[in-house]
Amino acid sequence: AQSVAQPEDQVNVAEGNPLTVKCTYSVSGNPYLFWYVQYPNRGLQFLLKYITGDNLVKGSYGFEAEFNKSQTSFHLKKPSALVSDSALYFCAVRDFTGGGNKLTFGTGTQLKVEL
Amino acid sequence: EAGVVQSPRYKIIEKKQPVAFWCNPISGHNTLYWYRQNLGQGPELLIRYENEEAVDDSQLPKDRFSAERLKGVDSTLKIQPAELGDSAVYLCASSLNSLHGYTFGSGTRLTVV
């Protein structure tokens, strides 16, 4: 089965500094990778996805992610963090195992941006 | 365009009681998903519908959980009887088809006491 891992439960960063939220993947075949954000008491909001093409994917709210095949990573990045970016971030992979079609999520990383 | 609508937002019930959640997907979205998100974890798929057909229910605990999407539009997820371990957020999502991105609803937070 396909899987993703988010090694950090929490990331703290000062406002204005660059941020990175890490994700590594384990897939057979080509990976279809996603990032979602979840604000308190809200559903998940799509940020960006990688299907094929350029390794640097740009998404919503100034976020981007870099697909690295040799390191099997898909880290989420933003050049300058905002306090409003504080939320729970999930990496996910599209899983077609056994004829299915679902998103398999990581355990999430809580991002805290402080003044 | 209205997003994915779920109700209720919150539900508190005693164990062994039944409970139902409702989801109205985005108009025209043929694929509907129910996910469960336990505290501190990522969401996990319970069931996927293509129109009115449940095409993947392998993760649905069928002894107590049931779901339906009779007309291929809105859907209900039921638990009967509920157990303490069912406390979680139940998320509904829809997509144009199974290859497109998902749009999630705000979820229903269930607390079983």
Side-chain angles (χ1 to χ4, degrees):
Chain A
Q2 324 286 50
S3 66
V4 290
Q6 295 181 244
E8 303 158 317
D9 290 336
Q10 181 161 322
V11 170
N12 296 323
V13 65
E15 187 176 50
N17 283 359
L19 69 87
T20 298
V21 183
K22 297 180 180 178
C23 173
T24 59
Y25 65 87
S26 175
V27 304
S28 54
N30 295 321
Y32 296 81
L33 298 163
F34 301 77
W35 276 102
Y36 282 82
V37 60
Q38 188 174 36
Y39 296 97
N41 300 315
R42 302 279 295 278
L44 287 91
Q45 296 178 33
F46 170 79
L47 281 178
L48 51 80
K49 66 180 177 183
Y50 173 83
I51 304 296
T52 186
D54 290 340
N55 289 340
L56 186 63
V57 180
K58 294 190 181 295
S60 306
Y61 312 121
F63 284 92
E64 57 190 27
E66 186 172 9
F67 173 71
N68 188 317
K69 188 173 183 178
S70 63
Q71 297 184 4
T72 62
S73 66
F74 188 56
H75 300 333
L76 181 70
K77 300 181 179 183
K78 187 173 183 180
S80 179
L82 299 172
V83 172
S84 58
D85 292 329
S86 298
L88 186 58
Y89 290 80
F90 288 97
C91 181
V93 61
R94 184 83 87 173
D95 188 347
F96 297 99
T97 304
N101 189 333
K102 65 180 180 182
L103 285 178
T104 296
F105 289 85
T107 51
T109 298
Q110 184 71 48
L111 173 66
K112 187 175 182 180
V113 182
E114 300 168 311
L115 290 171
Chain B
E1 172 184 83
V4 176
V5 180
Q6 290 188 248
S7 68
R9 288 296 308 276
Y10 305 94
K11 190 74 176 180
I12 300 174
I13 62 170
E14 295 183 343
K15 62 182 180 182
K16 301 185 180 179
Q17 294 302 306
V19 64
F21 315 123
W22 177 79
C23 172
N24 193 20
I26 291 174
S27 178
H29 280 195
N30 298 321
T31 307
L32 184 146
Y33 311 80
W34 282 102
Y35 276 79
R36 177 169 61 187
Q37 184 177 16
N38 292 313
L39 188 64
Q41 298 182 23
E44 295 180 332
L45 180 70
L46 290 173
I47 190 168
R48 172 171 66 99
Y49 281 93
E50 297 287 350
N51 298 302
E52 67 274 11
E53 182 181 0
V55 296
D56 185 356
D57 63 356
S58 57
Q59 303 301 311
L60 192 71
K62 298 181 183 64
D63 57 336
R64 297 182 300 106
F65 286 65
S66 64
E68 61 183 16
R69 192 185 184 197
L70 293 175
K71 297 182 178 180
V73 181
D74 57 339
S75 174
T76 56
L77 177 69
K78 298 178 182 178
I79 308 175
Q80 183 172 8
E83 298 178 351
L84 295 176
D86 295 331
S87 296
V89 175
Y90 291 83
L91 293 164
C92 179
S94 70
S95 63
L96 191 60
N97 58 51
S98 58
L99 297 179
H100 279 72
Y102 295 24
T103 301
F104 282 88
S106 297
T108 296
R109 182 177 296 276
L110 173 67
T111 302
V112 181
V113 296

